[in-house]
Amino acid sequence: LKHLVRCAREDTAVLDVESMKFFKAWLIEDLKATIPPPKAPPTSVNMDDPELMTPDSDVAHTMGPEQPKETLSDDEEAKMIAAKEAAAEAVAAEKYDEAIEKYTEAVVIAPSALTYAKRAECFIKLRKPNAAIRDCDAALKINPDSAKALKIRGAAQRYLGQYAAANADLSKGLQIDFDEHYGDIHKAVLSRVHEMHVAEGKARAQKEAEAKAKAAEARARAAADAANAANAAGSGMPGSGMPGGGMPGGGMPGGMPNVPPEMLEKLTSDPELMKAMQNPKVMQAMQAMMSNPMAAMQYMSDPEVGPVLQKLMGLFGGGMPGGMGGMGGMPGGMGGMP
């Protein structure tokens, strides 16, 4: 707990780790605590880690028997004790290869979680994290709550760049038995985990933005296709007087000048409006208004044409799209009419 408080004081991002979210919620909801925001992440995430170790691929050292003897003979027990003492002396002298051999002699006689963990610690000293993980796995198979094995395996994972796994093991091991050395390693791991979360969040946001942009582009393309189809369907309508489906000033609606794509999308995505545009009476009214904008006055009261004009005006913010090829001269467009 002291370690957690110390880390949180430096950066509250530690409380955003998945395993700490319940604790953060308890602080805020039950204790009414105010949690300062985490430190601003670096502008560019650099996951280079100078402390990483090259993964080792040595032949695995001898392991103890899967089913050790329940009792040892006096001779076996004496040999085991002597091997452990020799290993401890070798560690003190920083002769880790020799220590590993002596710990191997001990585990062959009587494997234990502590002996495996101590041999794993020697492998870390020799920069062999994979060998250390193998021994810690064996130790935790014997004793799942071995704090030493959890902390050493977490350190080995940290040196392999496996920060999420390292965080899980170090968190559990330090909760059982805290010590400064592995607490410092854990603090470095938490920093890396935070950087990873920030980087993943940025990548996810960028991917979502790209997906939205592609969807918007697809909708605009579909709107343009619908507009062209509507123009083609309206070509040569009786009484329309518009060859090729076009109106003077640019066509309806795909060729209307000065119409922003988002407005065009709104126009073509309205089925009622597009259907109304197929009404010869409406098209005649639109044609008349393009040659004489004041003609709109007589059409506004028409039960078939008036609602269409009102809807167009509402869609385009009070005016008609692009001035309707001649209507732009009216004050405020169509919206300026009393």
Side-chain angles (χ1 to χ4, degrees):
L1 184 58
K2 288 181 181 179
H3 171 63
L4 173 61
V5 172
R6 192 159 47 243
C7 290
R9 281 176 176 167
E10 292 188 11
D11 188 355
T12 56
V14 66
L15 299 176
D16 292 327
V17 176
E18 188 64 33
S19 60
M20 288 289 105
K21 286 185 177 178
F22 79 96
F23 184 62
K24 183 177 181 179
W26 176 70
L27 291 174
I28 295 173
E29 296 171 9
D30 294 353
L31 300 186
K32 309 301 180 186
T34 300
I35 308 295
K39 291 181 180 178
T43 53
S44 62
V45 177
N46 182 3
M47 291 304 290
D48 291 339
D49 187 344
E51 294 187 32
L52 290 182
M53 296 180 180
T54 302
D56 51 301
S57 56
D58 297 351
V59 176
H61 277 64
T62 304
M63 308 297 280
E66 288 288 332
Q67 296 181 337
K69 296 179 181 180
E70 293 185 5
T71 58
L72 299 176
S73 66
D74 292 342
D75 183 54
E76 288 172 330
E77 188 169 357
K79 287 181 179 179
M80 180 190 66
I81 293 172
K84 288 182 179 181
E85 289 176 349
E89 291 175 4
V91 169
E94 298 184 0
K95 298 178 180 179
Y96 300 112
D97 283 313
E98 183 180 329
I100 287 170
E101 293 306 318
K102 293 301 178 181
Y103 281 131
T104 301
E105 291 178 16
V107 297
V108 168
I109 298 170
S112 70
L114 183 59
T115 306
Y116 276 127
K118 287 182 175 181
R119 190 173 74 168
E121 203 162 27
C122 292
F123 282 126
I124 291 289
K125 294 291 186 180
L126 295 176
R127 302 181 67 82
K128 296 181 178 181
N130 282 327
I133 289 172
R134 275 196 301 271
D135 272 7
C136 290
D137 288 344
L140 292 166
K141 189 174 181 180
I142 297 171
N143 177 13
D145 293 323
S146 171
K148 191 173 184 70
L150 285 166
K151 290 184 288 186
I152 294 170
R153 188 172 69 175
Q157 291 162 336
R158 177 261 178 277
Y159 293 128
L160 289 172
Q162 300 168 4
Y163 302 113
N167 180 38
D169 277 348
L170 286 166
S171 295
K172 185 175 180 181
L174 289 167
Q175 285 175 2
I176 297 171
D177 178 35
F178 178 81
D179 67 72
E180 291 287 344
H181 173 68
Y182 289 104
D184 289 341
I185 294 176
H186 189 214
K187 187 163 68 173
V189 167
L190 288 173
S191 177
R192 294 287 174 177
V193 169
H194 176 61
E195 289 181 11
M196 287 173 57
H197 286 171
V198 171
E200 289 169 0
K202 286 183 177 179
R204 186 165 53 250
Q206 182 177 356
K207 188 175 181 180
E208 291 174 356
E210 290 173 356
K212 288 180 180 179
K214 287 182 180 179
E217 183 181 348
R219 287 195 299 270
R221 199 161 43 240
D225 292 344
N228 292 334
N231 282 339
S235 73
M237 283 196 304
S240 69
M242 295 178 289
M247 293 179 66
M252 178 67 197
M256 292 187 293
N258 304 320
V259 180
E262 61 270 18
M263 286 294 191
L264 180 60
E265 184 180 351
K266 287 182 181 180
L267 180 64
T268 57
S269 62
D270 190 323
E272 293 183 4
L273 195 55
M274 294 304 296
K275 183 178 180 181
M277 291 300 174
Q278 308 306 315
N279 185 337
K281 188 173 182 179
V282 171
M283 298 307 289
Q284 287 175 357
M286 299 287 283
Q287 185 179 23
M289 289 163 54
M290 294 189 70
S291 57
N292 178 19
M294 295 304 295
M297 300 290 291
Q298 70 184 75
Y299 288 112
M300 291 299 287
S301 59
D302 188 291
E304 288 185 68
V305 180
V308 178
L309 298 182
Q310 290 284 0
K311 195 164 190 178
L312 280 171
M313 290 163 58
L315 187 64
F316 291 94
M320 297 295 282
M324 289 300 295
M327 292 178 65
M330 294 180 66
M334 285 291 292
M337 294 173 56

